[in-house]
Amino acid sequence: MKAFAQLIKTIDSTNKTNLKVEALADYFQQVSDEDKVWTIAILSHRRPPRPVNTTLIREYASELANIPLWLFEESYHIVGDLAETIALVVPDSQQETEKSLTQYLEEMLALKKESDEVKKEYLVSNWKKLNYYERFVFTKLITGGFRIGVSQKLMTRALAKSTGIDEEVLAFKLMGNWNPNKISFQELILEENEADYLSKPYPFYLAYAIEDQPNDLGDPKDWLAEHKWDGIRSQVIIRKNQLFVWSRGEELVTDKYPEFEDFVGKLPNGIVLDGEILAYPNNEIGSFKDLQTRIGRKTVSKKLLEKTPVILKVYDILEYEGKDIRKKSFVDRRRILDQLHADFKDEISVFHLSEIMKFSAWDEMAKERENAREIKSEGLMIKRKNSTYGVGRKKGDWWKWKSDPFSIDAVLTYAMRGHGRRSNLFTDYTFGLWDDEHKELVTFAKAYSGLTDKEFKSLDAWIKKHTLERFGPVRSVEPYHVFEIAFEGIAESKRHKSGVATRFPRISRWRNDKKMGEANTLEDLKAMIPK
Amino acid sequence: MKTPLLAFNSKGIYCEAADVYIDAWKPVDKVIISHGHADHSRWGHQKYITHHDNVPIVKHRLGEVNIESKAYGESFTINNVKFSLHPAGHIIGSAQVRVEHKGEVWVFSGDYKDEADGVCTPFEAVPCHTFITECTFGLPAFKWKPQAEVFEEINQWWKQNQADGRTSVLFGYSLGKAQRLLKHLNPEIGKIYTHGAIENMTEVLRSLVDFPPTHLITRETTKVELNGNLVLAPPSAHGGTWIRKMTPYVTASASGWMTFRGARRRRAIDKGFVLSDHCDWNGLINSIKATGCEKVICTHGYTDIFAKYLRELGYDARTEKTQYEENED
């Protein structure tokens, strides 16, 4: 644990990626194999289940800090991170721990079953004897969500550096379900393992967004386009007559989509398809909202299966005849996929192909993009013909060119402090639109992104001076500032006060040129809902 | 209702009995100034009264103004109201303002810290009935380490950067923090270079305090001569073109705000040292207790939270709005 806390401290002391990777690689050289496995697990979001609920954690911490609970809560809203708040408010200790990271995690795993008294004793005694960074790390492990400025990609790079194993190979090994408590470093990283290979997906290749026009990409003849489907990005694996469905969040979701059992026994074994799960009610592509009725369910009822069936819109093939074919060109992979689709589409009704479109001019492509909403796509994907299938988000070969978002001018009504690098700044906003009489503002969306750091800073200062009321961490502010809010989708909703749900709302512009009376009305918004 | 001895109005903190303001934010006839930071000593008043050591600072910032100066503890009377200045320990020349009238004593803290910093006269608690306190860091999350430990870390950091062949760029406000850093940096490690704003202010203060030598960065200063040395710069210099001259460099900021990991990341600074010229949580509470006051007025900072906690401790505490900066340090 000492080494792990020191690592976090070192990473916290630099803003430079190279130095972070170096620190991580050094760390991997130093620590035991079991600590390595746990570190990999933690930094790839495979933390153990939370052993104590956060309400109790807050109580114990405020008691140890000798402050009332309300004061602890206020501090938390301002610090913006629970573990950091606890590490700051409890009395300091200069001691260092001798226990390893693995020992701590094993203790935490065992703690879940214990009584509240035992849990309290465990937390308090550790808080008392750990120094600041150890306390912070310890609490972070308990409360979960270990985001500390090191992405999985950075961690993989560091691991590659310290083991000499290729980064892409490592990324593949780290995919899927593995239990840090059961697997050894030898099994996870060093060995070739036949059994867990069976369910393993490949790292997803992700596209970069085209901000403006695709013209800079050169000759359109070097590129192929397809629609950007608005569903769940997934890999469907058929190996040894078994089906595995993985979502992009590296979640195994096979059970949620029983329709895909149809692939098994029909498609040859040793196939990995990359595509989008889409709702398909009434034999046509549905909206993301339709799909949402399927996402949350653990078990899928017959009724739901009938009402909202799904299909797989396939756009790539990563493995064929049991071989990794990601290094073949996109055109070659598509040729295999197209043939496969032609052979099996009649037999497997869930097997749909994302159609390829060729363009000789970017203008033509722009026209196609304008039609996207009508066919329930989000815009276009542009892929380089001779590109291999990469790992993660890399600039160059895959681009997404989304449809222009919807937008509307709304008034800032509430603000809340942000988290992480926005701690202690009011950066989480609620926006309202005018009602029919233009008298009251009706809340329609929350947005957290879209302003520059400078704009956040000046809005933060304004909010502090123009607060009307405080409700815990939230402040109502004088209605004054108008913002252009962009969003990707819009639908009627019974759950929202406004009666409208928008998808991915964010601030596109601060309309300093507009007075609040000039903001849009709820009627304006409702008029945007597709009929 | 009786007019309070000190009232908060649209221009500043006003003593009606004496017809004088303290740290006014709008131009007034006569003002008592607690210290030289821009939000407390503003431009445009007819007459300034302040501590001796604050005079060169005010003149440097505001030019030739009508100014009268006092020593710590020296009392003076305006319209039968008795005033005196007392050390606030915030920066050189900073003072608390004690006001006494008809047996009632109020103290305005200005900005203050309870740790002796080796540069300015240390804070002294002044007994009073009503204490007007800042609470910039009025949350239990703020706890300062003794400054000797922080300076040990800072000097170690500099040494390590030097060993790695990098220039250390350390950010701190040009008045106050910069001189405190300068005083405690170890000049045996290397040379200390300064940004113009810091060089000028330090020059003004050299007659009052003994500082190690500094070297102003000019157009002619080269990367090679800077390498391994330390540069003191105001926070505003970060992100500009000026800093490129220091390449390869490592940045750090010395401020109470560096308590928050997010604050450091947001500013895209490599290293944060928690070093403040304000009181931490315990410093505020202990200072208030030491005044023996019954009433507390919380001005800038986490005023609502801090006042609520003071009420739980049994104080008659409330908040007042001022136009002093909340995020300075």
Side-chain angles (χ1 to χ4, degrees):
Chain A
M1 180 83 139
K2 198 193 282 183
F4 188 64
Q6 187 58 46
L7 169 72
I8 303 303
K9 188 175 179 181
T10 310
I11 286 169
D12 259 4
S13 302
T14 181
N15 202 35
K16 294 173 188 74
T17 308
N18 286 346
L19 293 180
K20 288 183 188 177
V21 174
E22 223 170 87
L24 255 167
D26 282 353
Y27 168 85
F28 280 127
Q29 297 286 2
Q30 280 173 38
V31 300
S32 70
D33 280 357
E34 38 179 27
D35 275 10
K36 282 179 205 159
V37 172
W38 272 112
T39 304
I40 294 165
I42 292 159
L43 296 179
S44 60
H45 313 292
R46 286 175 176 82
R47 65 180 183 87
R50 184 179 293 160
V52 192
N53 79 45
T54 59
T55 314
L56 290 177
I57 296 176
R58 289 165 205 224
E59 266 172 38
Y60 303 157
S62 66
E63 201 182 308
L64 179 61
N66 196 23
I67 54 174
L69 188 59
W70 69 263
L71 183 55
F72 178 85
E73 296 291 347
E74 292 281 7
S75 304
Y76 167 48
H77 295 318
I78 290 162
V79 177
D81 181 285
L82 185 58
E84 194 179 338
T85 311
I86 293 172
L88 288 169
V89 299
V90 302
D92 202 20
S93 149
Q94 299 298 324
Q95 298 178 42
E96 284 180 11
T97 178
E98 294 303 325
K99 268 191 268 179
S100 73
L101 179 67
T102 305
Q103 274 172 297
Y104 273 102
L105 285 152
E106 281 169 356
E107 287 172 5
M108 288 176 195
L109 282 170
L111 190 63
K112 199 167 167 57
K113 307 184 287 289
E114 298 291 344
S115 67
D116 284 357
E117 289 82 72
V118 174
K119 288 176 182 178
K120 181 176 179 181
E121 165 59 25
Y122 180 73
L123 288 179
V124 171
S125 63
N126 277 297
W127 285 332
K128 276 187 185 165
K129 67 181 178 226
L130 298 174
N131 68 34
Y132 173 76
Y133 263 95
E134 292 173 352
R135 213 153 63 215
F136 168 62
V137 168
F138 167 81
T139 316
K140 202 83 185 150
L141 291 172
I142 296 264
T143 58
F146 215 97
R147 275 183 224 122
I148 43 123
V150 180
S151 63
Q152 184 165 348
K153 195 171 165 181
L154 270 189
M155 184 266 291
T156 314
R157 195 186 301 166
L159 198 57
K161 215 175 155 182
S162 73
T163 57
I165 300 171
D166 183 73
E167 206 177 317
E168 287 192 20
V169 173
L170 279 175
F172 178 67
K173 282 171 181 272
L174 297 182
M175 295 290 286
N177 266 352
W178 48 269
N179 184 342
N181 204 25
K182 301 219 170 91
I183 202 165
S184 71
F185 187 68
Q186 180 74 19
E187 288 162 336
L188 179 67
I189 300 295
L190 305 176
E191 270 172 21
E192 296 282 335
N193 193 326
E194 198 56 38
D196 60 34
Y197 161 81
L198 193 62
S199 70
K200 243 175 212 197
Y202 293 95
F204 284 88
Y205 187 29
L206 306 174
Y208 254 89
I210 287 178
E211 298 299 344
D212 195 16
Q213 295 286 321
N215 302 26
D216 298 345
L217 298 182
D219 191 343
K221 290 200 178 67
D222 294 337
W223 300 82
L224 293 173
E226 47 190 299
H227 276 279
K228 184 177 186 313
W229 304 105
D230 187 14
I232 300 167
R233 176 86 183 270
S234 303
Q235 276 178 45
V236 170
I237 298 171
I238 298 109
R239 289 180 189 136
K240 297 203 170 159
N241 289 320
Q242 283 190 67
L243 172 77
F244 304 95
V245 183
W246 291 94
S247 74
R248 177 153 102 60
E250 279 183 52
E251 200 188 343
L252 192 58
V253 291
T254 318
D255 296 343
K256 290 185 181 173
Y257 306 101
E259 290 100 325
F260 296 162
E261 286 297 339
D262 217 17
F263 282 113
V264 185
K266 292 175 182 164
L267 280 190
N269 278 309
I271 278 185
V272 178
L273 302 172
D274 182 12
E276 204 85 5
I277 300 175
L278 299 174
Y280 204 66
N282 310 317
N283 284 319
E284 57 181 49
I285 292 177
S287 68
F288 191 78
K289 206 183 147 209
D290 294 325
L291 190 60
Q292 270 171 328
T293 62
R294 292 286 301 265
I295 296 173
R297 306 293 161 84
K298 271 226 167 94
T299 50
V300 193
S301 68
K302 228 178 176 173
K303 210 175 130 198
L304 187 60
L305 273 177
E306 271 164 31
K307 195 180 162 220
T308 317
V310 298
I311 58 156
L312 187 71
K313 198 85 164 157
V314 186
Y315 34 70
D316 215 324
I317 181 163
L318 315 183
E319 182 175 306
Y320 184 60
E321 294 176 333
K323 286 195 194 81
D324 177 358
I325 58 167
R326 292 176 298 159
K327 290 280 179 276
K328 284 184 185 286
S329 73
F330 180 53
V331 181
D332 288 344
R333 296 197 310 273
R334 274 303 296 225
R335 205 170 287 137
I336 296 169
L337 177 62
D338 290 354
Q339 187 58 49
L340 206 60
H341 182 254
D343 293 347
F344 290 95
K345 66 172 193 269
D346 298 332
E347 241 177 296
I348 309 171
S349 62
V350 292
F351 190 2
H352 287 234
L353 199 62
S354 174
E355 296 80 7
I356 288 285
M357 299 173 288
K358 289 178 185 158
F359 294 98
S360 48
W362 295 118
D363 296 0
E364 274 175 57
M365 205 186 280
K367 256 184 215 135
E368 182 61 33
R369 173 172 168 264
E370 280 169 25
N371 294 330
R373 276 217 174 91
E374 273 164 45
I375 62 163
K376 302 260 169 65
S377 104
E378 290 186 285
L380 299 181
M381 290 293 304
I382 307 173
K383 298 174 180 175
R384 196 190 292 275
K385 280 182 182 168
N386 63 6
S387 63
T388 59
Y389 189 92
V391 170
R393 202 179 295 282
K394 264 188 201 147
K395 244 179 199 165
D397 292 333
W398 276 26
W399 297 90
K400 52 184 177 192
W401 192 24
K402 287 181 132 183
S403 305
D404 293 331
F406 295 99
S407 80
I408 198 153
D409 291 335
V411 182
L412 175 69
T413 50
Y414 295 90
M416 200 170 101
R417 285 193 172 92
H419 295 271
R421 64 191 290 274
R422 293 159 164 200
S423 73
N424 200 28
L425 270 191
F426 285 92
T427 57
D428 297 3
Y429 310 121
T430 302
F431 297 94
L433 295 168
W434 294 108
D435 63 3
D436 294 348
E437 280 110 53
H438 233 264
K439 269 191 190 151
E440 261 184 70
L441 288 161
V442 184
T443 295
F444 96 101
K446 288 185 181 168
Y448 314 86
S449 60
L451 293 182
T452 62
D453 281 356
K454 211 173 156 188
E455 286 171 322
F456 274 132
K457 207 176 155 193
S458 89
L459 192 55
D460 172 75
W462 184 89
I463 288 164
K464 283 175 181 155
K465 290 201 172 92
H466 297 85
T467 298
L468 298 177
E469 276 184 281
R470 291 158 204 247
F471 315 92
V474 181
R475 292 180 176 201
S476 64
V477 299
E478 278 172 37
Y480 179 81
H481 286 294
V482 178
F483 293 86
E484 184 179 297
I485 308 299
F487 49 94
E488 292 304 315
I490 179 167
E492 280 180 31
S493 162
K494 289 198 182 89
R495 289 200 352 256
H496 292 76
K497 196 180 166 192
S498 62
V500 183
T502 52
R503 259 189 96 199
F504 187 36
R506 69 267 184 193
I507 302 166
S508 59
R509 239 177 344 146
W510 188 344
R511 296 300 303 259
N512 278 318
D513 56 322
K514 285 206 167 178
K515 295 211 166 67
M516 65 164 177
E518 296 173 69
N520 285 101
T521 63
L522 193 55
E523 282 312 301
D524 297 338
L525 181 71
K526 284 180 176 163
M528 293 179 186
I529 300 173
K531 296 288 172 301
Chain B
M1 206 184 98
K2 191 177 84 155
T3 318
L5 189 51
L6 295 177
F8 292 75
N9 69 24
S10 60
K11 292 180 178 170
I13 302 172
Y14 183 53
C15 178
E16 191 183 274
D19 190 20
V20 65
Y21 278 85
I22 301 174
D23 287 4
W25 44 85
K26 291 273 166 56
V28 297
D29 288 344
K30 193 183 268 185
V31 70
I32 299 171
I33 296 290
S34 70
H35 68 285
H37 279 144
D39 53 331
H40 291 262
S41 64
R42 295 193 194 232
W43 184 85
H45 308 302
Q46 296 301 312
K47 180 163 189 193
Y48 295 75
I49 302 168
T50 194
H51 184 264
H52 295 317
D53 291 350
N54 192 29
V55 174
I57 299 169
V58 171
K59 286 192 170 170
H60 174 67
R61 301 196 106 150
L62 305 178
E64 277 307 318
V65 292
N66 180 0
I67 193 163
E68 185 185 328
S69 68
K70 307 286 178 189
Y72 289 126
E74 175 188 351
S75 57
F76 52 100
T77 307
I78 306 172
N79 296 341
N80 285 323
V81 181
K82 194 175 147 194
F83 291 88
S84 52
L85 303 179
H86 302 268
H90 176 56
I91 60 167
I92 300 174
S94 66
Q96 305 174 74
V97 183
R98 182 182 183 277
V99 188
E100 181 180 350
H101 188 55
K102 294 180 180 167
E104 194 182 342
V105 179
W106 288 46
V107 170
F108 168 67
S109 75
D111 290 336
Y112 67 108
K113 71 168 173 288
D114 60 341
E115 185 187 24
D117 66 6
V119 178
C120 61
T121 312
F123 171 85
E124 283 170 22
V126 181
C128 59
H129 300 105
T130 302
F131 187 52
I132 304 174
T133 183
E134 58 131 333
C135 41
T136 308
F137 294 106
L139 277 188
F142 296 109
K143 287 180 203 158
W144 312 150
K145 286 192 226 170
Q147 72 165 15
E149 277 180 42
V150 182
F151 284 114
E152 176 62 29
E153 282 175 32
I154 294 176
N155 283 315
Q156 279 302 331
W157 169 80
W158 180 10
K159 260 189 217 165
Q160 184 59 51
N161 295 337
Q162 190 175 56
D164 295 342
R166 295 189 168 92
T167 301
S168 303
V169 183
L170 183 54
F171 297 109
Y173 276 99
S174 52
L175 169 58
K177 193 64 63 63
Q179 290 76 34
R180 185 177 174 195
L181 291 168
L182 180 58
K183 182 77 187 175
H184 299 282
L185 284 167
N186 180 0
E188 285 169 16
I189 300 172
K191 283 186 181 174
I192 301 166
Y193 283 83
T194 49
H195 180 277
I198 289 176
E199 182 65 24
N200 293 341
M201 187 51 84
T202 305
E203 196 51 43
V204 168
L205 298 170
R206 279 189 190 276
S207 61
L208 302 170
V209 183
D210 194 24
F211 292 116
T214 50
H215 308 268
L216 175 66
I217 294 182
T218 64
R219 267 170 209 280
E220 285 72 41
T221 315
T222 63
K223 272 183 197 177
V224 178
E225 58 177 299
L226 285 171
N227 194 280
N229 291 315
L230 185 138
V231 179
L232 272 179
S236 57
H238 189 33
T241 51
W242 181 80
I243 199 173
R244 285 189 209 146
K245 196 195 267 286
M246 285 92 208
T247 313
Y249 61 82
V250 183
T251 56
S253 180
S255 158
W257 296 110
M258 290 300 124
T259 297
F260 296 155
R261 297 172 68 246
R264 182 190 57 75
R265 281 158 61 207
R266 183 161 73 232
R267 288 167 180 80
I269 281 167
D270 291 314
K271 179 82 182 168
F273 296 107
V274 181
L275 185 79
S276 175
D277 285 324
H278 296 263
C279 283
D280 65 1
W281 171 256
N282 288 324
L284 286 168
I285 307 257
N286 293 339
S287 304
I288 291 166
K289 282 184 182 162
T291 67
C293 67
E294 290 142 21
K295 293 185 182 179
V296 183
I297 299 171
C298 305
T299 59
H300 49 307
Y302 298 103
T303 50
D304 295 295
I305 298 170
F306 192 61
K308 182 174 170 186
Y309 185 69
L310 289 177
R311 285 195 292 274
E312 289 195 359
L313 293 183
Y315 288 95
D316 175 358
R318 62 185 170 94
T319 65
E320 284 284 358
K321 278 194 176 166
T322 65
Q323 293 191 12
Y324 309 134
E325 288 295 328
E326 301 215 337
N327 293 329
E328 172 201 286
D329 187 45

Coordinates of all heavy atoms in Angstrom, one line a residue, chain B residues 4 29 32-33 41 85 102 112 161 172 184 206 211 214 221 223 231 236 250 255 263 275 277 300 327:
Chain B
P4 N -25.0 50.4 14.8 CA -23.8 49.6 15.2 C -22.6 50.4 15.0 O -22.5 51.3 14.2 CB -23.9 48.4 14.3 CG -24.7 48.8 13.1 CD -25.7 49.8 13.6
D29 N -14.0 59.7 1.7 CA -13.2 60.8 2.2 C -12.0 60.2 3.0 O -10.9 60.6 2.8 CB -14.0 61.8 3.0 CG -14.9 62.6 2.1 OD1 -14.7 62.6 0.9 OD2 -15.8 63.2 2.7
I32 N -9.4 53.8 6.7 CA -8.4 53.0 7.4 C -8.1 51.8 6.6 O -9.1 51.0 6.3 CB -8.7 52.7 8.8 CG1 -9.0 54.1 9.6 CG2 -7.6 51.9 9.5 CD1 -9.6 53.9 11.0
I33 N -6.9 51.5 6.2 CA -6.6 50.4 5.3 C -5.9 49.3 6.1 O -4.9 49.5 6.8 CB -5.7 50.8 4.2 CG1 -6.4 51.9 3.3 CG2 -5.2 49.7 3.3 CD1 -7.5 51.3 2.4
S41 N -7.0 47.7 -0.4 CA -6.5 49.1 -0.5 C -6.8 49.6 -1.9 O -6.0 49.3 -2.8 CB -5.1 49.3 -0.1 OG -4.2 48.6 -0.9
L85 N -4.2 50.0 15.4 CA -3.9 48.9 14.5 C -3.1 47.8 15.2 O -2.2 48.1 16.1 CB -3.0 49.4 13.3 CG -3.6 50.6 12.5 CD1 -2.7 51.0 11.4 CD2 -5.0 50.2 11.9
K102 N -17.4 54.3 23.6 CA -18.3 54.2 24.8 C -18.3 52.8 25.4 O -19.3 52.2 25.6 CB -19.8 54.5 24.3 CG -20.0 56.0 23.9 CD -21.4 56.2 23.5 CE -21.6 57.7 23.1 NZ -22.8 57.9 22.5
Y112 N -6.0 37.5 7.8 CA -5.0 37.2 8.8 C -4.6 35.8 8.8 O -5.3 34.9 8.3 CB -5.5 37.7 10.2 CG -6.7 36.9 10.8 CD1 -6.6 36.0 11.8 CD2 -8.0 37.1 10.2 CE1 -7.7 35.4 12.4 CE2 -9.1 36.5 10.8 CZ -8.9 35.6 11.8 OH -10.0 34.9 12.3
N161 N 14.4 18.8 -9.1 CA 14.2 19.3 -10.4 C 15.6 19.7 -11.0 O 15.9 19.5 -12.2 CB 13.4 20.6 -10.5 CG 11.9 20.3 -10.0 OD1 11.5 19.1 -10.1 ND2 11.2 21.3 -9.5
G172 N 3.3 32.3 -7.0 CA 2.7 32.9 -5.8 C 2.4 34.3 -6.0 O 3.0 35.0 -6.9
H184 N 12.3 32.0 2.5 CA 12.6 30.7 3.0 C 13.2 29.7 2.0 O 13.4 28.5 2.3 CB 11.3 30.1 3.7 CG 10.9 30.9 4.8 ND1 11.4 30.8 6.1 CD2 9.9 31.8 4.9 CE1 10.8 31.6 6.9 NE2 9.9 32.3 6.2
R206 N 12.5 45.6 0.3 CA 13.8 45.3 0.8 C 14.3 46.2 2.0 O 15.1 45.8 2.8 CB 14.9 45.3 -0.3 CG 14.8 44.0 -1.1 CD 16.0 44.0 -2.1 NE 15.9 42.9 -3.1 CZ 16.2 41.6 -2.8 NH1 16.8 41.3 -1.7 NH2 16.0 40.7 -3.7
F211 N 16.1 40.1 2.4 CA 15.8 38.9 1.5 C 17.0 38.5 0.8 O 17.9 39.3 0.6 CB 14.7 39.4 0.5 CG 13.4 39.6 1.0 CD1 12.8 40.9 0.9 CD2 12.6 38.6 1.5 CE1 11.6 41.2 1.4 CE2 11.3 38.9 2.0 CZ 10.8 40.2 2.0
T214 N 17.9 38.5 -5.7 CA 17.1 37.9 -6.8 C 17.6 38.5 -8.1 O 18.3 39.5 -8.1 CB 15.6 38.4 -6.7 OG1 15.6 39.8 -6.5 CG2 14.9 37.7 -5.5
T221 N 17.9 37.2 -20.7 CA 18.1 36.0 -19.9 C 18.0 34.7 -20.8 O 17.0 34.6 -21.6 CB 17.1 35.9 -18.8 OG1 17.0 37.2 -18.2 CG2 17.4 34.9 -17.8
K223 N 17.9 30.4 -21.6 CA 17.4 29.1 -21.1 C 18.6 28.5 -20.3 O 18.3 27.9 -19.2 CB 17.1 28.2 -22.2 CG 15.7 28.3 -22.7 CD 15.4 27.3 -23.8 CE 14.1 27.7 -24.5 NZ 13.8 26.8 -25.6
V231 N 12.5 30.0 -10.5 CA 11.8 31.3 -11.0 C 10.6 31.5 -10.2 O 9.7 30.6 -10.0 CB 11.4 31.1 -12.5 CG1 10.7 32.4 -13.0 CG2 12.6 30.9 -13.4
S236 N -0.6 34.6 -12.8 CA -1.0 35.0 -14.1 C 0.0 34.7 -15.2 O -0.3 34.7 -16.4 CB -1.3 36.5 -14.1 OG -0.2 37.2 -13.7
V250 N 9.4 22.7 -14.6 CA 8.4 22.0 -13.8 C 7.7 23.2 -13.0 O 8.3 24.1 -12.5 CB 9.0 21.0 -12.8 CG1 7.9 20.3 -12.0 CG2 9.8 20.0 -13.5
S255 N -0.2 27.7 -2.4 CA -1.5 28.4 -2.0 C -2.3 27.5 -1.2 O -2.2 26.2 -1.3 CB -2.2 28.7 -3.3 OG -3.6 28.9 -3.1
A263 N -8.1 21.5 -7.7 CA -7.6 22.8 -8.0 C -6.3 22.8 -8.7 O -6.1 23.6 -9.6 CB -7.5 23.6 -6.7
L275 N 0.3 26.2 1.1 CA 0.9 27.3 1.9 C 0.0 28.5 1.8 O -0.1 29.0 0.7 CB 2.3 27.6 1.4 CG 3.1 28.6 2.2 CD1 3.7 27.9 3.5 CD2 4.2 29.2 1.4
D277 N -1.5 32.4 3.3 CA -1.4 33.6 4.2 C -2.7 33.9 5.0 O -2.8 35.0 5.5 CB -0.9 34.8 3.4 CG 0.5 34.7 3.0 OD1 1.3 34.2 3.8 OD2 0.9 35.1 1.9
H300 N -15.7 37.6 3.9 CA -15.5 36.9 2.7 C -15.0 35.4 3.0 O -14.3 35.2 3.9 CB -14.5 37.6 1.8 CG -13.3 38.1 2.5 ND1 -13.3 38.9 3.6 CD2 -12.0 37.9 2.2 CE1 -12.1 39.1 4.0 NE2 -11.3 38.6 3.1
N327 N -11.2 34.3 -3.5 CA -10.3 33.2 -4.0 C -8.9 33.6 -3.9 O -8.0 32.8 -4.3 CB -10.7 32.8 -5.4 CG -12.0 32.2 -5.5 OD1 -12.5 31.6 -4.5 ND2 -12.7 32.4 -6.6

